[in-house]
């Protein structure tokens, strides 16, 4: 999922960076408007937890890797896809700059995939399914699974456009691995939602608080 340097040509990387910066600006606005002294520890815990989850990389064919994402969890708990973008960007910057996990020229694409796509898919899937099912386990699992699988497919398409992967083989490799990883992410996300809601119900999104009975 972390696209390394040289997997995407610099001109394409610049385009992804520009798109990512637009969403990062909106995420910073969210942080300015929504973050306070009470929410700051939760943001820090989510960032640390997502960093840890992403540290367990499973090799995928054609030179890339697969892992849990965490975008759905951040968006659901904090009640905004921009929260996911903010937290995932922090995690990806630390991983890329300090640990060399994911390239710097491709970081824009990584932020788009895991933060933007993962955050928006996870958040709106959760909200939509909650209206229909009224079930946090169902909505949370589906949101987390899709927020893991869809960014992986997006990464495969980006690397096809870059001439790095053949399209079908890339979609199959990334899709199958992350469909499996997404099952794990679904269960982890549900457990984390209930754990955080029971420990600090005052900090989670109001819809989550109501649904979990916190």
């Amino acid at each position: 999922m972390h696209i390394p340097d040289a997997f995407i040509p610099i001109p394409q990387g610049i385009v992804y960076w520009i798109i990512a910066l637009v969403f990062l600006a909106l995420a910073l606005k969210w942080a300015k408007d929504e973050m306070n002294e009470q929410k700051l520890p939760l943001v820090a815990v989510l960032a640390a937890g997502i960093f840890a989850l992403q540290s367990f990389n499973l090799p995928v064919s054609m030179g890339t890797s697969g892992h849990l994402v965490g975008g759905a969890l951040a968006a659901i708990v904090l009640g905004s896809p921009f929260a996911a973008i903010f937290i995932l960007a922090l995690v990806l910057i630390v991983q890329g700059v300090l640990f060399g996990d994911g390239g710097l020229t491709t970081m824009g694409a990584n932020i788009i995939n895991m933060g933007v796509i993962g955050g928006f898919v996870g958040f709106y899937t959760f909200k939509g399914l909650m209206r229909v099912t009224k079930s946090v386990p169902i909505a949370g699992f589906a949101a987390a699974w899709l927020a893991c699988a869809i960014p992986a497919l997006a990464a495969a398409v980006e690397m096809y456009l870059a001439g790095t992967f053949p399209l079908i083989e890339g979609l199959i490799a990334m899709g199958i691995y992350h469909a499996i990883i997404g099952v794990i992410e679904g269960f982890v996300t549900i457990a984390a939602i209930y754990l955080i809601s029971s420990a600090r119900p005052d900090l989670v999104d109001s819809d989550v608080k109501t649904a979990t009975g916190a």
Side-chain angles (χ1 to χ4, degrees), residues 26-90:
L26 296 172
L28 289 172
K29 183 179 184 303
W30 170 86
K32 179 181 177 182
D33 295 340
E34 299 294 332
M35 278 183 59
N36 51 42
E37 291 183 358
Q38 288 183 317
K39 280 190 176 180
L40 187 58
L42 178 56
V43 170
V45 167
L46 285 169
I50 290 170
F51 183 93
L53 288 174
Q54 291 192 4
S55 298
F56 296 97
N57 286 299
L58 299 174
V60 179
S61 60
M62 295 181 285
T64 187
S65 62
H67 54 74
L68 280 70
V69 178
L73 174 62
I76 291 167
V77 170
L78 291 170
S80 172
F82 295 107
I85 298 169
F86 181 78
I87 291 173
L88 265 295
L90 292 177

